[in-house]
């Protein structure tokens, strides 16, 4: 047994000696042989020596630093003493002077005398130097940690009345820009953004939207919006409004629901802060509304995008009007409740707004009535819905007389049933089809996106690609190219409405003069910003964007005024009211951008091709 165990142990015998042979030949000095590396140079050796010294630790670095200081300071001090006419004549005196100079330069005291005295002074100087170094290091570390914490966006926000944006997506820069513009109109306030992304990147994408020469502040913090600890750092209970955005990643709606639950847990059940949130899939709408609690507004982005596409398909040229109506640049919708409104008629109030366009009435319970009959009487608690520059629009106590209000004009002809070609498909396609059918249009679906005869239809609607594609706007751009090529072949242009999800792709779209680009993501972001600052407008926009009922319409101006007539805009407002519509502005014949809420006294010659923008029935 012992032999077996020993046999398993490797042999420890000494290696066999070999017979000495001839010594290897010594290579003569010269260039290296082919395939052999050249010996390292002096510079490479110096770098390698420095690397080895650094990795030895702090002790080696301090020692080499002290030696380097002495090597530099001692010769310079000696040269300084030997060239001084006032230096001592003896060698001992000059050496003492050199030591004093070295000691004062290196903060070692420079005392002379017995070796013990010199050693004690050097020891005390080193202790003092060590204390000062530690103190500087502690202060530097504290400041560095504080600056790093500020860079990471982990500090607490102390604001009141600010608008809080939770989450980040492609629509976030638009929302932040509009909220900054809304606060700039008031001359003060702050917009706070909490997103799980780099703080510097968030600030870089949002900084360009910060208005100049205002007291508006943009504050960005990093953290997960669904984390109550991160939410507490941005003081949501003191905010004037909270906007919850769905991200662009999969499962965005679930994150919105979690954020709403975390918000209620942080603020409390009875929080009066207005909350506006959005989900991308309508299937998560009930859960999001339940998580948001009563009083909050949760928007269905898909449903909103489908409504916008239907409106623009039924009213070619409406995309730019809706964009101007929803942003905070220029005129936007406001609800006025000045003293003396109850008991007055809507028609009288509409004529008594010199710097605003009356749109309808908002009842005390928040129900909107757009373009009501002129004889409608306002009840206590009702508000006047107007299109104005701000909420300080004027409502005169009496309506002024409007000239030329009774022109014999023709009534608008009812719209005929239209055939619309639907190119492409996504999860909003079914809602778009239903909305077009409700608006009296027959939609024909073509998923391939390569139309063979689009000129046989009255309108063409191009849908973006699936959202999980990564680049949903690419099919839209390709389909527009096919339409432009077909237009060149036939010489026939068909009014086209194309959906884009990202505003950055708008300059890339090959759009012709008869093409409307509807950036649904931007319009949804504008709507969220509007509702966050005016929660009572949620029901108003819901009615405006409905496929049936009163909405924003484009009508020929000659339906309300004889062609070639020179008249003020106030006269067309009165003429439109006679037809049950509320005039918001107009678009000249040779222009694409509309003019909303122009001065009532602005006079121009109305001709064929001018378009009057109204709110009224289809």
């Amino acid at each position: 047994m012992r032999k077996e165990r020993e046999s398993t142990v490797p042999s420890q015998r000494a290696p066999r000696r070999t017979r000495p042979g001839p010594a290897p030949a010594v290579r003569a000095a010269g260039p290296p042989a082919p395939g052999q590396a050249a010996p390292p140079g002096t510079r490479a050796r110096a770098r390698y020596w420095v690397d080895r010294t650094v990795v030895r630790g702090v002790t080696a670095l301090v020692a080499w630093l002290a030696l380097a200081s002495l090597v530099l300071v001692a010769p310079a001090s000696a040269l300084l003493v030997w060239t001084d006419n006032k230096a001592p004549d003896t060698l001992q005196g000059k050496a003492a002077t050199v030591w004093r100079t070295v000691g004062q330069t290196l903060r070692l005291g420079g005392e002379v005398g017995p070796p013990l005295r010199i050693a004690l002074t050097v020891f005390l100087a080193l202790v003092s130097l060590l204390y000062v170094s530690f103190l500087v290091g502690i202060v530097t570390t504290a400041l560095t940690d504080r600056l790093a914490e500020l860079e990471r966006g982990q500090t607490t926000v102390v604001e009141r009345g600010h608008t809080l944006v939770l989450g980040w997506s492609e629509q976030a820069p638009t929302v932040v820009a509009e909220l900054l513009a809304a606060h700039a109109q008031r001359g003060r306030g702050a917009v706070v953004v909490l997103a799980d992304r780099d703080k510097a990147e968030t600030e870089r994408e949002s900084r360009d939207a910060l208005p100049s020469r205002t007291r508006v502040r943009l504050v960005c913090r990093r953290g997960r919006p669904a984390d109550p600890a991160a939410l507490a750092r941005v003081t949501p209970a003191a905010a004037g409004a909270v906007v919850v955005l769905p991200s662009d990643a999969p499962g965005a709606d679930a994150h919105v629901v979690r954020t709403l639950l975390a918000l209620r847990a942080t603020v409390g059940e009875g929080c009066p802060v207005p909350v506006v949130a959005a989900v991308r899939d309508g299937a998560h709408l009930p859960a999001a509304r339940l998580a948001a609690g009563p009083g909050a507004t949760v928007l269905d982005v898909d449903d909103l995008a489908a409504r916008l596409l239907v409106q623009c398909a039924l009213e070619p040229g409406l995309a730019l009007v809706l964009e101007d109506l929803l942003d905070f640049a220029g005129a936007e919708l406001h609800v006025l409740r000045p003293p003396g409104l109850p008991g007055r008629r809507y028609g009288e109030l509409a004529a008594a707004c010199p710097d605003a366009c009356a749109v309808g009435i908002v009842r005390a319970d928040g129900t909107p009535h757009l373009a009501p009959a002129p004889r409608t009487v306002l009840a206590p608690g009702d508000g006047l819905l107007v299109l104005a520059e701000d909420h300080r629009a004027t409502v005169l106590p009496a309506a002024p007389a409007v000239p030329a209000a009774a022109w014999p004009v023709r009534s608008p002809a009812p719209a005929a049933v239209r055939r619309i070609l639907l190119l492409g498909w996504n999860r909003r396609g079914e809602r778009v089809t239903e909305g077009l059918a409700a608006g009296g249009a027959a939609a024909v679906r073509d998923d391939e996106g390569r139309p063979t005869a689009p000129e046989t239809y009255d309108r063409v609607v191009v849908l973006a690609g699936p959202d999980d594609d990564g680049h949903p706007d690419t099919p839209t751009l390709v389909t527009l190219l096919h339409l432009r090529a077909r237009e060149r072949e036939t010489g026939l242009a068909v009014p086209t409405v194309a959906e884009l999800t990202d505003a950055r792709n708008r300059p890339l779209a090959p759009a012709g003069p008869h093409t409307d680009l509807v950036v649904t993501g931007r319009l949804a972001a504008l709507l969220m910003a509007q509702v966050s600052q005016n929660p009572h407008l949620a029901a108003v926009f819901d009615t405006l964007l409905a496929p049936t009922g009163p909405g924003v319409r484009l009508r020929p101006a000659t339906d309300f005024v004889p062609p070639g007539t020179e008249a003020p805009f106030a006269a067309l407002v009165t003429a439109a009211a006679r037809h049950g519509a509320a005039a918001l502005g107009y678009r000249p014949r040779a222009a694409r951008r509309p003019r909303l809420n122009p001065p009532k006294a602005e006079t121009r010659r109305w001709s064929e091709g001018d378009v009057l923008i109204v709110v009224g029935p289809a």
Side-chain angles (χ1 to χ4, degrees):
M1 296 296 294
R2 185 175 180 180
K3 290 183 178 180
E4 293 179 0
R5 286 196 299 267
E6 289 179 353
S7 62
T8 59
V9 180
S11 174
Q12 301 295 332
R13 290 180 299 177
R16 177 182 299 178
R17 294 184 179 181
T18 58
R19 182 178 299 177
V26 179
R27 183 180 297 274
Q36 183 178 359
T42 304
R43 189 172 182 180
R45 292 179 180 274
R47 287 182 178 179
Y48 179 65
W49 177 82
V50 171
D51 293 341
R52 288 192 306 163
T53 303
V54 169
V55 299
R56 289 180 181 177
V58 178
T59 304
L61 290 177
V62 171
W64 282 112
L65 180 62
L67 180 60
S69 300
L70 289 174
V71 169
L72 295 176
V73 173
S77 300
L79 182 62
L80 184 64
V81 171
W82 253 264
T83 57
D84 188 4
N85 296 328
K86 299 180 181 180
D89 295 333
T90 63
L91 180 61
Q92 184 178 1
K94 289 184 178 182
T97 304
V98 170
W99 165 244
R100 290 192 185 96
T101 305
V102 173
Q104 292 174 358
T105 302
L106 299 179
R107 298 296 187 269
L108 298 178
E111 292 289 338
V112 296
L116 180 60
R117 179 179 178 85
I118 296 176
L120 289 175
T121 56
V122 170
F123 174 74
L124 292 177
L126 289 176
V127 170
S128 175
L129 181 61
L130 185 63
Y131 168 77
V132 173
S133 301
F134 268 105
L135 181 62
V136 172
I138 292 173
V139 174
T140 303
T141 302
L143 291 177
T144 302
D145 293 343
R146 182 63 176 175
L147 291 176
E149 187 178 2
L150 291 175
E151 288 295 330
R152 291 193 302 266
Q154 301 293 329
T155 57
T156 302
V157 175
V158 184
E159 296 281 353
R160 297 195 66 85
H162 57 285
T163 301
L164 177 60
V165 179
L166 302 178
W168 195 262
S169 64
E170 292 180 353
Q171 291 79 32
T174 302
V175 172
V176 173
E178 292 302 310
L179 293 176
L180 290 172
H183 281 280
Q185 290 182 354
R186 306 168 194 165
R188 58 180 177 81
V191 176
V192 180
V193 180
L194 176 65
D196 191 12
R197 66 198 307 264
D198 184 63
K199 172 179 174 289
E201 184 178 355
T202 304
E203 290 179 342
R204 183 173 59 253
E205 294 187 23
S206 307
R207 187 65 64 181
D208 294 339
L210 187 63
S212 59
R213 301 179 182 179
T214 61
R215 298 173 59 186
V216 180
R217 298 177 301 280
L218 174 63
V219 182
C220 299
R221 291 292 182 265
R222 181 171 187 174
R224 293 188 298 111
D227 183 7
L231 277 176
R233 291 198 299 266
V234 291
T235 58
V242 179
V243 180
V244 182
L245 297 176
S247 66
D248 300 322
D253 293 347
H255 289 289
V256 170
V257 174
R258 291 185 58 187
T259 301
L260 293 172
L261 291 174
L263 185 63
R264 292 183 66 182
T266 304
V267 177
E269 294 292 337
C271 176
V273 179
V275 177
V276 179
V279 294
R280 299 189 180 277
D281 191 350
H284 298 93
L285 190 61
R289 286 177 175 171
L290 185 62
T297 302
V298 182
L299 303 177
D300 184 351
V301 176
D302 279 353
D303 181 67
L304 179 60
R307 290 190 185 191
L308 292 170
L309 286 171
V310 170
Q311 290 277 355
C312 295
L314 298 177
E315 299 283 345
L318 191 61
L320 295 178
V321 176
L322 291 177
E323 189 169 334
D324 287 355
L325 183 64
L326 291 173
D327 64 18
F328 283 97
E332 59 268 354
L333 294 177
H334 298 276
V335 178
L336 306 181
R337 287 186 172 90
L341 279 187
R344 297 181 66 177
R345 297 181 176 180
Y346 170 75
E348 175 193 355
L349 292 172
C353 297
D355 53 357
C357 294
V359 181
I361 299 173
V362 176
R363 295 298 186 184
D365 60 353
T367 304
H369 291 272
L370 304 181
R375 296 182 176 272
T376 304
V377 178
L378 273 72
D382 293 349
L384 183 64
L385 181 65
V386 299
L387 181 68
E389 295 291 333
D390 53 42
H391 63 281
R392 295 182 294 268
T394 306
V395 180
L396 300 177
V402 180
W407 290 314
V409 297
R410 62 180 184 268
S411 300
V417 178
R418 289 162 288 239
R419 296 179 68 250
I420 296 181
L421 177 62
L422 200 60
L423 299 177
W425 196 254
N426 53 39
R427 66 168 183 254
R428 295 174 293 276
E430 197 68 35
R431 301 188 185 187
V432 173
T433 304
E434 294 174 357
L436 292 175
V444 178
R445 174 178 169 181
D446 183 0
D447 297 350
E448 296 297 329
R450 296 186 179 183
T452 55
E455 61 276 359
T456 60
Y457 296 87
D458 299 318
R459 309 277 167 78
V460 174
V461 176
V462 182
L463 296 180
D467 295 334
D468 55 0
D469 185 19
H471 300 281
D473 289 344
T474 301
T476 301
L477 302 179
V478 174
T479 302
L480 288 176
L481 287 174
H482 287 299
L483 291 173
R484 293 298 301 275
R486 181 66 181 179
E487 180 181 340
R488 292 181 180 180
E489 293 176 2
T490 61
L492 300 175
V494 182
T496 303
V497 175
E499 177 192 14
L500 295 175
T501 60
D502 191 348
R504 293 172 295 184
N505 293 324
R506 178 184 284 176
L508 306 180
H514 300 282
T515 302
D516 290 340
L517 298 177
V518 183
V519 187
T520 52
R522 172 173 170 79
L523 292 177
L526 294 177
L527 180 58
M528 292 189 67
Q530 284 282 348
V531 175
S532 68
Q533 302 303 300
N534 303 285
H536 46 265
L537 292 182
V540 174
F541 286 115
D542 186 64
T543 304
L544 276 177
L545 299 178
T548 58
V552 182
R553 316 296 180 192
L554 304 181
R555 296 289 180 263
T558 52
D559 284 352
F560 305 95
V561 60
T565 302
E566 187 172 347
F569 177 70
L572 271 76
V573 172
T574 305
R578 294 175 54 205
H579 292 277
L584 305 182
Y586 68 92
R587 188 186 66 197
R589 175 179 55 184
R592 288 182 59 87
R593 302 294 309 192
R595 291 203 60 194
L596 296 181
N597 190 35
K600 293 291 185 66
E602 178 180 305
T603 302
R604 67 186 307 272
R605 187 176 300 278
W606 303 92
S607 61
E608 297 284 352
D610 292 340
V611 174
L612 192 67
I613 305 169
V614 301
V615 171

